[in-house]
Amino acid sequence: MTFSKINVNIDAVHLTGFLVVPVLILLTIAGCDGSPLPSKLDDVDKQPLQTSRPYNIAHRGSNGEFPEETAAAYMRAIEEGADFIETDILASKDGVLICSHDVTLDLDNRTNIANFSQFADRKRTYEVQGVNMTRWFVGKFPIITFKEYISIALDAKRVVGIYPEIKNPVFINKHIVILYLPYISSKNYRSNGQMGKKFEDKFVETLMKFAYKGSYMSKEWLKQPAFVQSFAPTSLTYIANLTDLPKIFLIDDVTVLTEDTNQTYYDITSDSYLDFMKNYVVGIGPWKDTIITTKNNYLNEVTDLVAKAHARGLQAHIFSWCMMSKICEHSQ
């Protein structure tokens, strides 16, 4: 199959992606005008979530066929049989939760915003996970919201789970103020002196608003299944007091530092830290190279990470498996 690149107009900024059906492209930017989202089909006749085999988790949707984290990608993933649709959640400057992996609009040529002189004054320099980045950061562009993503899952003709990631919480909590409305009180002041709730608070509130709740395999959870994931262990321990939804502790390359604890993921995967995290999570989500090493592009040695997780009663949700290396190269 041959893929062609096209530009999709979104508020005069073009999103680079693969060739898709124009009608489905429109779905990626609809629903931001006050239309009733999320919706829900009648539960009575819905085929339940399968639990007899490992879950098939569509990482950012069917992103080998459609631009990742768009309505078209998620709808195709559901059509192809995904048990869960996965996404990254960020917050725009005005506090709206959106589906996007990157905090900037121009990273790896995702958009052609650099070609528009009228947006030159919106370029900013921020520190993101220890690195200074001078780019155009995600703003008020209606790409796809958290609510739209939830709506896609709820409107499926069978039970389809969601798998949202709390993305870059340290950066978001430092630069984005999400106000408490309609009232203001002393509890609205965060520890850094800013007024407003934390990113994690808004994230969990959105899930609760649309009835996502319940511990793993409970009756409530099976009705609307969801896993909550993050690379930031302090975010997971924080939301453990806000929701009983199952949580997945994401694990990056062992040489990488976490954004919040200043530890490497080698430290994070130690026996003592896994013993600590098992009190807050139901599983780990390791990058595939942390469980099987490679040599000269061939599989080499199996590590003991999955065995360590299973010994503690933890699940292992590995990311990301696909046939197209170009797409998967930056698939974290």
Side-chain angles (χ1 to χ4, degrees):
M1 180 180 292
T2 301
F3 294 101
S4 302
K5 293 290 185 75
I6 63 169
N7 288 326
V8 182
N9 192 286
I10 300 177
D11 280 5
V13 178
H14 297 171
L15 177 67
T16 301
F18 295 105
L19 181 63
V20 296
V21 180
V23 173
L24 293 180
I25 283 292
L26 294 177
L27 292 173
T28 69
I29 58 175
C32 298
D33 57 354
S35 57
L37 288 173
S39 54
K40 191 175 183 181
L41 297 180
D42 187 356
D43 288 337
V44 176
D45 298 323
K46 276 196 174 186
Q47 178 183 344
L49 177 74
Q50 73 77 27
T51 57
S52 61
R53 57 166 172 76
Y55 296 129
N56 181 354
I57 303 166
H59 191 249
R60 308 185 203 170
S62 185
N63 62 20
E65 300 175 84
F66 295 94
E68 66 183 30
E69 298 187 328
T70 62
Y74 291 126
M75 292 168 70
R76 175 57 63 87
I78 292 172
E79 179 185 338
E80 292 174 339
D83 300 312
F84 288 81
I85 51 174
E86 189 267 356
T87 193
D88 305 278
I89 301 298
L90 291 171
S92 64
K93 191 68 175 178
D94 55 342
V96 175
L97 301 191
I98 61 172
C99 298
S100 178
H101 176 265
D102 303 311
V103 294
T104 67
L105 291 169
D106 59 326
L107 188 65
D108 295 327
N109 298 314
R110 292 181 69 236
T111 72
N112 62 347
I113 190 172
N115 297 337
F116 293 83
S117 59
Q118 63 265 41
F119 299 128
D121 62 343
R122 300 188 187 182
K123 202 171 188 178
R124 298 289 186 272
T125 299
Y126 290 120
E127 181 182 308
V128 182
Q129 294 185 233
V131 178
N132 283 329
M133 300 178 67
T134 303
R135 299 182 185 276
W136 285 267
F137 285 75
V138 172
K140 299 182 181 181
F141 301 102
I143 299 173
I144 178 173
T145 67
F146 195 8
K147 292 181 181 180
E148 289 177 272
Y149 161 80
I150 289 173
S151 178
I152 292 168
L154 293 180
D155 277 343
K157 295 180 180 180
R158 57 186 171 83
V159 174
V160 173
I162 62 172
Y163 205 110
E165 177 187 343
I166 304 170
K167 196 72 177 179
N168 296 115
V170 173
F171 172 79
I172 297 296
N173 281 322
K174 184 177 181 181
H175 295 288
I176 306 299
V177 177
I178 303 173
L179 293 179
Y180 274 101
L181 294 175
Y183 63 93
I184 294 178
S185 69
S186 60
K187 75 175 183 179
N188 303 147
Y189 286 87
R190 307 207 307 245
S191 59
N192 61 2
Q194 289 186 313
M195 185 180 69
K197 66 182 68 177
K198 292 183 66 173
F199 177 32
E200 292 90 340
D201 294 315
K202 182 65 176 290
F203 177 93
V204 173
E205 280 185 11
T206 303
L207 291 172
M208 293 176 64
K209 180 178 180 180
F210 301 111
Y212 283 96
K213 57 185 177 180
S215 58
Y216 182 62
M217 296 302 289
S218 66
K219 183 177 179 180
E220 291 175 319
W221 186 86
L222 287 170
K223 186 176 181 180
Q224 289 187 200
F227 287 100
V228 175
Q229 55 174 335
S230 181
F231 283 102
T234 57
S235 275
L236 293 174
T237 57
Y238 179 82
I239 69 168
N241 295 316
L242 304 178
T243 178
D244 57 353
L245 286 171
K247 301 155 194 71
I248 299 294
F249 178 28
L250 297 177
I251 296 172
D252 207 336
D253 185 283
V254 293
T255 64
V256 174
L257 285 173
T258 69
E259 63 186 275
D260 53 344
T261 64
N262 200 34
Q263 296 170 286
T264 65
Y265 283 95
Y266 178 81
D267 300 322
I268 287 294
T269 56
S270 67
D271 289 334
S272 60
Y273 206 85
L274 289 176
D275 285 338
F276 167 70
M277 287 303 293
K278 73 179 182 181
N279 298 310
Y280 300 95
V281 302
V282 299
I284 59 172
W287 178 41
K288 60 181 179 293
D289 283 25
T290 65
I291 64 166
I292 305 177
T293 61
T294 58
K295 186 176 181 179
N296 298 324
N297 291 323
Y298 286 91
L299 298 180
N300 188 25
E301 296 180 351
V302 177
T303 71
D304 65 350
L305 182 55
V306 171
K308 288 165 64 173
H310 287 172
R312 291 163 173 81
L314 296 173
Q315 300 177 31
H317 298 188
I318 317 302
F319 70 92
S320 304
W321 308 98
C322 76
M323 296 296 290
M324 292 167 282
S325 60
K326 289 295 183 182
I327 294 174
C328 289
E329 186 175 356
H330 301 290
S331 63
Q332 294 155 291

